[in-house]
Amino acid sequence: MSDLIGLINLLAPFFGLIGLGFFCGRVVKQPEAGLAWMQFFLIYIALPCLFYRLIADKSLDQLTNWSFVVATTVSTFCAFALSFAAGWRHTKDIAQSVMQGVAGSYSNIGYMGPPLVLAAIGSAASAPVVLIFVFDNLLLFSLVPLLMSVAGLEKLTLGATLRRILWRVVTHPFNVATALGVTASYLHLELPSALNLMVTWLSGAAAPCALFILGVTVALRPLWRIPAEVPALVLIKLILHPFLVWVLLSALGDFGPVWTYAAITMAALPPALNIFVISTQYNVGVERASACVLMGTVTSMVTLTALLYTIRIGALPYDLFP
């Protein structure tokens, strides 16, 4: 019982901040445009500082575990393919199905992932958290524009689309921060004390800001109708995706309990707020994205708690094929 109470105390602040944001979004009548600067702060300032902090003090051998990268990235791709198929079954539309694919495979690895996994599993989980974040983003931010080009929504040639993808990957603030962190790790660089304190403050602001924004953003979306495919997408995201990660990691080698449990937990996180951002960018499936984020977040309160509880009491073996 004490394990369960401790776990609830661990998760309550995360879902509590989302709930607070949702409550404020429903009650306080502020224009949605007011979120713009907060989102800019989060994406371009706070979260990059968090990822720099996670990476800079890691040895490079921890960041070159390619078998781990293959297992987790292939699992995410499989979840995307299954979710795309579920979307196609209901919509028969490529663009809509791409959004469904993202909804069923893209975890909240930027906002919830690092603080929750590090709190639940320990600081030793930071290396797998960073690897999953980097390579899942590379996969999905490459797949989406390519498939949208096939669907006819990217009015560019294939070459221009590939160049745009490369530019977005290279200049994305999360990836820039990752590259700077790897450089600092390789060169054993330390920030000046004043700058180091600023980075520490900003990295600490990332999680609460992100979770509050998630709640507000969902609250501002119309939620009166849940599309028929959303329950299937939530099932893939919260149950099948972490199961695939567990099976593939067990099949490819012994990665140890910390790395395996970190990867399973990252896959079990609810759908990311970025799903809504991407759907808004293409003006495709905005209501579906909102419904999936809301339903996935609410359902994950049960599924994520159950997963972490089984890990904490030792009921979930980290290796299926010892």
Side-chain angles (χ1 to χ4, degrees):
M1 181 59 70
S2 60
D3 285 325
L4 182 58
I5 294 173
L7 187 57
I8 291 172
N9 288 334
L10 171 67
L11 293 173
F14 291 90
F15 292 112
L17 281 169
I18 296 172
L20 178 62
F22 185 87
F23 174 79
C24 292
R26 286 292 187 183
V27 173
V28 181
K29 303 304 179 183
Q30 295 287 344
E32 186 175 354
L35 288 175
W37 272 111
M38 198 170 183
Q39 290 169 337
F40 179 90
F41 168 78
L42 184 64
I43 294 171
Y44 287 90
I45 308 295
L47 281 171
C49 286
L50 174 61
F51 278 92
Y52 176 87
R53 177 65 67 210
L54 288 175
I55 298 168
D57 62 348
K58 299 292 174 298
S59 61
L60 284 184
D61 62 335
Q62 290 183 287
L63 303 175
T64 54
N65 193 333
W66 299 117
S67 297
F68 179 86
V69 169
V70 168
T72 54
T73 308
V74 167
S75 299
T76 300
F77 177 79
C78 291
F80 177 90
L82 289 169
S83 302
F84 181 95
W88 178 262
R89 179 173 177 270
H90 285 273
T91 65
K92 300 297 188 292
D93 179 85
I94 292 178
Q96 293 276 6
S97 300
V98 171
M99 289 299 101
Q100 314 302 56
V102 177
S105 61
Y106 192 18
S107 298
N108 201 330
I109 52 176
Y111 295 176
M112 287 184 71
L116 190 149
V117 174
L118 295 182
I121 298 175
S123 59
S126 60
V129 165
V130 167
L131 288 174
I132 291 169
F133 173 83
V134 171
F135 285 95
D136 273 16
N137 275 329
L138 286 174
L139 172 69
L140 292 166
F141 285 126
S142 300
L143 275 176
V144 170
L146 274 176
L147 291 173
M148 286 304 189
S149 180
V150 171
L153 294 187
E154 287 273 7
K155 307 300 183 182
L156 298 171
T157 65
L158 179 60
T161 299
L162 292 175
R163 287 192 296 272
R164 175 177 286 187
I165 292 170
L166 180 61
W167 176 250
R168 286 177 177 174
V169 167
V170 169
T171 60
H172 193 285
F174 296 169
N175 294 333
V176 171
T178 299
L180 291 174
V182 169
T183 302
S185 173
Y186 178 73
L187 298 176
H188 304 287
L189 297 177
E190 292 187 8
L191 296 174
S193 58
L195 183 57
N196 184 63
L197 183 57
M198 286 180 61
V199 170
T200 301
W201 285 352
L202 290 168
S203 61
C209 287
L211 297 171
F212 182 82
I213 288 175
L214 173 59
V216 173
T217 304
V218 171
L220 296 178
R221 305 270 66 79
L223 301 171
W224 51 82
R225 189 176 70 87
I226 301 295
E229 70 274 18
V230 167
L233 298 177
V234 171
L235 178 66
I236 293 170
K237 177 76 232 39
L238 300 182
I239 304 298
L240 190 55
H241 188 189
F243 180 74
L244 287 170
V245 168
W246 188 27
V247 170
L248 280 179
L249 286 176
S250 298
L252 289 182
D254 186 343
F255 295 94
V258 170
W259 281 60
T260 303
Y261 290 147
I264 294 172
T265 304
M266 290 283 276
L269 293 171
L273 177 61
N274 280 349
I275 299 165
F276 170 75
V277 175
I278 296 169
S279 65
T280 302
Q281 175 187 348
Y282 290 102
N283 195 27
V284 172
V286 177
E287 286 75 19
R288 281 184 165 89
S290 301
C292 198
V293 171
L294 176 63
M295 186 173 177
T297 300
V298 172
T299 306
S300 72
M301 295 173 67
V302 176
T303 58
L304 194 56
T305 301
L307 171 66
L308 291 175
Y309 181 70
T310 59
I311 291 173
R312 181 162 289 196
I313 65 174
L316 184 75
Y318 76 89
D319 191 346
L320 276 171
F321 316 117

